[in-house]
């Protein structure tokens, strides 16, 4: 998906997603979004930078991925968490 709104619309459509990869620096990425994805059984993988102070795992994210995001780190996270 291109935007948070696209992701929310896709999730609401009933379409099955293996995981949601989101940018933790975006204001729309919050506890409510993660909770909604969790309700839909969609694991949330949050991309974070060193300055990020949010405890994403505490609020329900399946995993965090640090920047720079590498292909191998993304693949490992998807193998662990994606349905």
């Amino acid at each position: 998906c291109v935007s948070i709104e696209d992701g929310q619309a896709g999730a609401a459509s009933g379409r099955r997603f293996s995981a949601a990869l989101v940018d933790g620096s975006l204001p729309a990425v919050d506890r409510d979004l993660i909770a909604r994805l969790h309700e839909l059984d969609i694991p949330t993988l949050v991309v974070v930078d060193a300055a990020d102070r949010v405890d994403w795992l505490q609020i329900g994210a399946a995993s965090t991925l640090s920047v720079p995001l590498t292909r191998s780190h993304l693949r490992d996270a998807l193998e662990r968490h994606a349905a």
Side-chain angles (χ1 to χ4, degrees), residues 1-75:
C1 298
V2 179
S3 69
I4 295 295
E5 293 79 15
D6 289 342
Q8 290 172 329
S13 74
R15 181 174 170 216
R16 179 71 183 123
F17 290 88
S18 298
L21 180 66
V22 298
D23 182 344
S25 69
L26 297 175
V29 177
D30 59 12
R31 177 186 310 271
D32 294 335
L33 175 65
I34 292 173
R36 178 70 178 128
L37 292 168
H38 184 74
E39 289 170 4
L40 296 168
D41 200 27
I42 301 172
T44 306
L45 311 177
V46 182
V47 179
V48 299
D49 64 24
D52 198 330
R53 300 291 180 235
V54 177
D55 187 346
W56 294 105
L57 300 178
Q58 179 68 29
I59 64 172
S63 183
T64 58
L65 300 163
S66 299
V67 293
L69 180 59
T70 66
R71 186 177 295 189
S72 64
H73 288 138
L74 176 58
R75 184 180 52 243

